């Protein structure tokens, strides 16, 4: 989500009223009961540790599209212990996680060679993201690919077939559960505002770009349609739902909440998700 801070608890120190922030507010690894699930609302409360300042060059819609996908994409490289100069094969280079995995591989983790798969219609799109080579999976089988890679990153759960492109000892990461090949390791994500701060310079200088599916952003009145489209599996980048255009971002409410209400949380007005 992305939004504007409209109120904060007395223990909040990182953000002020009126700040534009973004983040993934669902930390399933946090101890205790999950405090917040979902962002389809005009106002939400969130832990300050889970959000970061929105990069100034991004719209609210662009910012909202990033946290879940980019944190998932980053975690895969961390889990694989990926090293600068290695090669990577990304299965599903046009999806929400895949589009960011391609960009991160090339511009953040400094891979020497990035290959990604997608359908025929999306080949040029994925090339523009930075892939050195794009495989059209409708025309080429994994077994036909002669190259072997230091890291196989499967974003669609097809590692039962894609594993053949990995070197013998190469890590295979699958972000779907359960992984479909015994060598594959499941990778989830670390939810934190800190990893969003790490990539902020890359977003602001254009080396990382938010990719929003061209059918959106969807209005709140079209939420069901947005989910129907998402379930087709044909999205290019992320599907975004927005209750307001960026140029009409809400003004903040000038007040501070008492410590007994939400001491370490911030309330965001009219979130984009």
């Amino acid at each position: 989500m992305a939004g504007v801070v409209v109120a904060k608890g007395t223990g909040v120190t990182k953000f002020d009223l009126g700040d534009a922030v973004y983040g993934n507010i669902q930390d399933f690894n946090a101890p205790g009961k999950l405090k917040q699930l979902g962002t389809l609302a005009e106002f939400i409360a969130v832990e300050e540790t889970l959000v970061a300042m929105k990069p100034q060059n991004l719209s609210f819609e662009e910012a909202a599209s990033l946290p879940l996908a980019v944190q998932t994409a980053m975690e895969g490289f961390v889990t694989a212990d990926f090293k600068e100069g290695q090669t990577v094969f990304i299965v599903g280079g046009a999806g929400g996680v895949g589009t960011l995995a391609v960009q991160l591989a090339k511009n953040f983790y400094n891979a020497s060679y990035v290959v990604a798969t997608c359908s025929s219609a999306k080949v040029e799109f994925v090339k523009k993201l930075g892939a050195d080579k794009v495989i059209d999976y409708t025309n080429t089988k994994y077994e036909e690919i002669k190259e072997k890679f230091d890291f196989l990153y499967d974003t669609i759960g097809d590692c039962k077939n894609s594993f053949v492109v990995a070197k013998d000892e190469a890590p295979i990461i699958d972000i779907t559960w359960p992984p479909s090949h015994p060598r594959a390791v499941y990778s989830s994500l670390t939810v934190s505002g800190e990893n969003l701060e790490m990539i902020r310079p890359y977003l602001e200088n254009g080396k990382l770009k938010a990719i929003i599916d061209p059918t959106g952003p969807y209005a709140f009145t079209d939420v069901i349609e947005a989910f129907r489209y998402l379930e087709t599996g044909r999205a290019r980048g992320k599907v975004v739902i927005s209750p307001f255009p960026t140029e009409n971002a809400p003004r903040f409410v000038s007040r501070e909440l008492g410590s007994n209400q939400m001491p370490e949380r911030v309330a965001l007005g009219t979130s984009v998700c």
Side-chain angles (χ1 to χ4, degrees):
M1 63 80 220
V4 176
V5 178
V6 296
K8 67 176 187 176
T10 54
V12 173
T13 59
K14 292 183 179 180
F15 305 102
D16 292 318
L17 304 183
D19 283 347
V21 299
Y22 76 128
N24 174 12
I25 71 169
Q26 298 167 189
D27 185 5
F28 291 99
N29 296 318
K33 185 179 179 182
L34 190 66
K35 295 182 179 180
Q36 180 77 36
L37 181 64
T39 57
L40 287 173
E42 290 184 310
F43 295 90
I44 57 173
V46 58
E47 305 290 340
E48 69 170 337
T49 56
L50 302 184
V51 295
M53 294 291 291
K54 181 181 74 66
Q56 293 185 358
N57 60 318
L58 298 186
S59 68
F60 283 96
E61 290 83 1
E62 289 171 325
S65 75
L66 286 167
L68 175 60
V70 79
Q71 288 170 343
T72 302
M74 292 174 74
E75 191 77 5
F77 287 95
V78 173
T79 303
D81 193 25
F82 188 80
K83 300 292 192 299
E84 181 177 345
Q86 289 186 318
T87 61
V88 57
F89 188 96
I90 299 169
V91 182
V97 174
T99 54
L100 289 161
V102 169
Q103 296 181 77
L104 286 166
K106 199 66 178 177
N107 298 317
F108 187 76
Y109 293 105
N110 298 315
S112 61
Y113 188 51
V114 180
V115 177
T117 69
C118 64
S119 63
S120 305
K122 300 174 182 176
V123 168
E124 292 304 315
F125 165 69
V126 176
K127 283 183 180 178
K128 291 179 180 178
L129 293 176
D132 296 295
K133 184 177 181 180
V134 181
I135 304 294
D136 179 356
Y137 68 77
T138 65
N139 296 324
T140 304
K141 296 180 179 179
Y142 296 118
E143 293 78 7
E144 298 171 347
I145 300 170
K146 303 304 180 184
E147 301 158 298
K148 301 300 179 183
F149 295 82
D150 297 316
F151 173 30
L152 170 59
Y153 198 161
D154 196 317
T155 71
I156 65 172
D158 195 32
C159 56
K160 66 181 182 295
N161 299 309
S162 64
F163 77 95
V164 297
V165 305
K167 292 180 180 179
D168 290 343
E169 302 300 322
I172 299 174
I173 295 296
D174 192 336
I175 65 170
T176 66
W177 179 261
S180 59
H181 189 273
R183 274 183 59 193
V185 174
Y186 172 68
S187 175
S188 181
L189 72 161
T190 297
V191 181
S192 169
E194 290 184 3
N195 48 26
L196 298 178
E197 290 292 348
M198 287 173 57
I199 62 168
R200 181 174 179 175
Y202 297 84
L203 291 165
E204 292 184 335
N205 66 20
K207 288 187 176 181
L208 288 179
K209 292 181 170 59
I211 307 297
I212 297 178
D213 186 272
T215 61
Y218 289 82
F220 263 17
T221 52
D222 297 322
V223 166
I224 293 176
E225 184 59 34
F227 276 91
R228 282 176 178 160
Y229 175 68
L230 184 63
E231 290 171 354
T232 67
R234 293 195 292 268
R236 178 182 298 191
K238 295 296 290 182
V239 176
V240 174
I241 297 168
S242 177
F244 65 90
T246 286
E247 60 269 20
N248 294 331
R251 297 181 178 181
F252 65 89
V253 180
S254 182
R255 66 187 181 93
E256 188 168 275
L257 301 182
S259 59
N260 62 330
Q261 292 175 284
M262 48 178 214
E264 297 178 352
R265 311 182 85 186
V266 294
L268 304 178
T270 324
S271 61
V272 183
C273 46

